[in-house]
């Protein structure tokens, strides 16, 4: 056994700290364990989803009760409001399930989970409004507004708190996915360091499989135990108790080999993640589309439209105005120096061509002579060369 393996085993078998508390929810509620077994992952993930169900159902109960009390406050009301208040919680949970807000691939990290909750809230509002119109039921708008808005807000808040509890437990080494990394030694080492720094993603690299030519120098480049070559990845993952296999960009791992690996991992119920070599690319710009049975990754150009473009324009104008106010004394000083130095105009104005061929007028502080353009034309007439791309060679004699 190598020194790296001994260190990893001793770290994994160390004592587990006592669970901490976040907003009344403890890590013990998540079923936090040391994560050394493959089945531990399914335990804490199932417990997490169950807690989400409780949070969403409880949020709806609190919201409908608050709407009932705030809207009527002792005033007479129809008995069917009680029936509606009892129906909203199961309908809300069912709608979240239909919106795939309980899918594990959107939970734990990222903003997709919150977007799906917001979409479910909009659909619930539209559904109740349409049902009341069809049934010609006169529902108090105040009751409906308080109940639906408060339901969405409380569900979002509860999910946020539960995620913070999970992230805190992950910083303590619990509720992690045990990952076997496959690829070149340098890529595995970089991914290991990156995942260690960002523990809230929940991936802990416990071992690696490298190309056969890199096994000899693996101890000097990789900080995790090496279980063998690429061909033994499936058996190594099962033996190490890994629940996820992460494939780095590796020329030795071609399409047929990767497909065979996926079949072998499916046998042991181990997830497969294929890491892309693309960096600094937003997730909403990446789309995987099948082309003749082959998964193709499409990268869309960043475009702003609608509300996003309006928000960005407002942000740009606000920041520019604020900087102009803050830098006004410095700009006045620069203008005074230019005026005293040459006596000419402070600003230089010119029409330039921007994106899409559209022209715009540009202003900047003048840093050249007042007749700079005339001097430039005079120098051009005296130029011996026809242009920047042509050369005249003078042969002596």
């Amino acid at each position: 056994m190598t020194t790296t393996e001994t260190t990893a085993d001793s770290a994994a078998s160390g004592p587990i700290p006592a669970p901490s508390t976040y907003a009344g929810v403890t890590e013990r509620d998540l079923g936090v364990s040391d994560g050394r077994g493959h089945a531990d992952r399914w335990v804490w993930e199932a417990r997490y989803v169950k807690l989400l169900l409780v949070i969403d159902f409880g949020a709806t109960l609190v919201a409908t009760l608050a709407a009932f009390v705030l809207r009527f406050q002792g005033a007479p009301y129809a008995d069917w409001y009680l029936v509606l208040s009892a129906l909203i919680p199961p309908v809300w949970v069912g709608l979240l399930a239909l919106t795939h807000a309980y899918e594990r691939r959107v939970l734990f990290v990222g903003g997709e989970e919150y977007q799906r909750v917001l979409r479910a809230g909009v659909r619930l509002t539209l559904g109740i409004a349409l049902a009341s119109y069809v049934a010609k039921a006169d529902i108090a708008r105040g009751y409906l507004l308080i109940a639906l808005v408060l339901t969405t807000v409380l569900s979002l808040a509860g999910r946020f708190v539960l995620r913070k509890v999970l992230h805190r437990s992950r910083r303590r080494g619990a509720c992690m996915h045990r990952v076997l990394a496959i690829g070149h030694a340098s890529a595995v080492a970089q991914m290991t360091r990156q995942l260690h720094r960002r523990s809230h993603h929940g991936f802990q690299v416990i071992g690696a499989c490298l190309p056969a030519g890199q096994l000899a120098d693996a101890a000097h480049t990789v900080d995790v135990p090496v279980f063998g070559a690429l061909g033994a990845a499936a058996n190594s993952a099962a033996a190490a108790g890994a629940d996820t296999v992460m494939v780095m960009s590796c020329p030795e791992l071609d399409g047929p080999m990767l497909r065979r690996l996926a079949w072998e991992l499916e046998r042991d119920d181990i997830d497969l993640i294929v890491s892309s070599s693309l960096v600094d690319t937003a997730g909403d710009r990446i789309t995987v589309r099948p082309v003749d049975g082959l998964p193709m990754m499409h990268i869309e150009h960043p475009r702003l439209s609608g509300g996003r473009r309006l928000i960005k324009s407002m942000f740009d104008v606000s920041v520019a105005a604020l900087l102009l106010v803050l830098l006004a004394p410095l700009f006045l000083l620069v203008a005074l120096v230019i005026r005293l130095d040459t006596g000419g105009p402070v600003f230089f104005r010119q029409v330039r061509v921007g994106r899409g061929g559209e022209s715009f007028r540009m202003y900047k502080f003048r840093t050249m002579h007042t007749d700079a353009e005339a001097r430039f034309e005079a120098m051009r007439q005296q130029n011996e060369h026809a242009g920047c791309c042509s050369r005249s060679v003078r042969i002596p004699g």
Side-chain angles (χ1 to χ4, degrees):
M1 181 179 294
T2 62
T3 306
T4 306
E5 292 173 339
T6 306
T7 305
D9 291 340
S10 61
S13 59
I16 306 173
S20 59
T21 303
Y22 189 93
V25 182
T26 65
E27 295 174 3
R28 196 181 305 278
D29 296 330
L30 294 176
V32 171
S33 60
D34 55 0
R36 281 174 283 175
H38 188 178
D40 286 339
R41 175 231 180 135
W42 312 116
V43 172
W44 69 259
E45 283 189 350
R47 181 71 63 85
Y48 190 94
V49 174
K50 291 178 181 177
L51 286 175
L52 284 181
L53 290 170
V54 174
I55 288 174
D56 294 332
F57 197 87
T60 320
L61 287 178
V62 173
T64 53
L65 179 61
F68 195 87
V69 173
L70 294 176
R71 171 60 180 83
F72 298 107
Q73 296 181 352
Y77 58 86
D79 294 337
W80 60 269
Y81 275 104
L82 298 176
V83 178
L84 180 61
S85 300
L87 286 178
I88 289 180
V91 170
W92 173 245
V93 173
L95 190 58
L96 287 174
L98 292 177
T99 319
H100 306 288
Y102 297 108
E103 285 188 359
R104 297 175 182 178
R105 64 186 181 90
V106 302
L107 301 177
F108 316 131
V109 71
E112 180 65 22
E113 175 187 0
Y114 303 131
Q115 294 178 10
R116 297 192 179 192
V117 174
L118 289 174
R119 286 198 291 267
V122 173
R123 292 175 181 176
L124 180 61
T125 304
L126 295 178
I128 293 180
L130 180 61
S132 63
Y133 175 77
V134 173
K136 297 181 178 179
D138 188 14
I139 301 179
R141 287 187 291 270
Y143 166 82
L144 193 61
L145 180 64
I146 296 174
L148 298 182
V149 172
L150 199 57
T151 292
T152 306
V153 171
L154 291 179
S155 289
L156 289 173
R159 286 170 175 259
F160 177 78
V161 170
L162 190 61
R163 181 180 290 191
K164 288 301 180 180
V165 175
L166 177 65
H167 289 176
R168 176 171 295 184
S169 65
R170 281 178 169 175
R171 287 195 297 268
R172 300 161 62 92
C175 296
M176 304 289 286
H177 295 281
R178 295 168 57 84
V179 177
L180 178 72
I182 301 176
H184 287 180
S186 57
V188 170
Q190 180 181 0
M191 181 60 67
T192 301
R193 292 191 296 267
Q194 188 172 353
L195 293 178
H196 180 72
R197 289 195 303 267
R198 303 179 179 180
S199 59
H200 64 277
H201 288 284
F203 293 107
Q204 179 185 11
V205 180
I206 61 171
C209 287
L210 308 178
Q214 300 182 5
L215 294 177
D217 300 330
H220 304 288
T221 55
V222 181
D223 297 332
V224 293
V226 177
F227 290 94
L230 299 178
N235 294 331
S236 300
D243 55 59
T244 303
V245 170
M246 184 176 294
V247 180
M248 312 288 123
S249 297
C250 183
E252 292 82 358
L253 198 61
D254 55 5
M257 188 175 180
L258 185 60
R259 184 166 57 250
R260 186 169 57 253
L261 174 63
W263 292 340
E264 294 174 350
L265 294 177
E266 185 179 359
R267 174 196 60 196
D268 298 321
D269 201 12
I270 298 176
D271 291 343
L272 176 63
I273 298 178
V274 180
S275 175
S276 171
S277 57
L278 292 172
V279 294
D280 296 335
T281 302
D284 54 356
R285 293 174 51 199
I286 300 176
T287 305
V288 179
R289 306 171 187 169
V291 178
D292 195 17
L294 298 175
M296 297 292 182
M297 183 178 295
H298 295 249
I299 310 297
E300 299 179 358
H301 296 296
R303 294 186 177 92
L304 290 177
S305 60
R308 292 185 176 181
R309 185 169 186 173
L310 178 61
I311 293 175
K312 185 180 184 303
S313 300
M314 294 175 60
F315 176 80
D316 292 343
V317 172
S318 302
V319 173
L322 179 61
L323 291 177
L324 284 175
V325 173
L326 294 178
L327 298 177
L330 178 61
F331 290 162
L332 290 175
L333 179 61
V334 172
L336 181 62
V337 171
I338 295 175
R339 192 72 175 180
L340 294 177
D341 183 32
T342 60
V346 174
F347 294 103
F348 174 75
R349 295 175 292 273
Q350 191 178 52
V351 177
R352 295 189 178 183
V353 179
R355 184 176 181 181
E358 296 182 1
S359 60
F360 67 97
R361 183 172 294 275
M362 181 269 303
Y363 295 87
K364 75 181 190 71
F365 284 114
R366 183 174 59 83
T367 57
M368 49 194 170
H369 295 283
T370 55
D371 57 344
E373 293 184 344
R375 294 189 181 190
F376 179 74
E377 287 296 331
M379 292 178 62
R380 177 181 292 180
Q381 298 297 330
Q382 300 174 4
N383 189 11
E384 297 180 358
H385 304 288
C388 60
C389 297
S390 62
R391 298 180 60 186
S392 60
V393 181
R394 182 176 298 177
I395 302 175

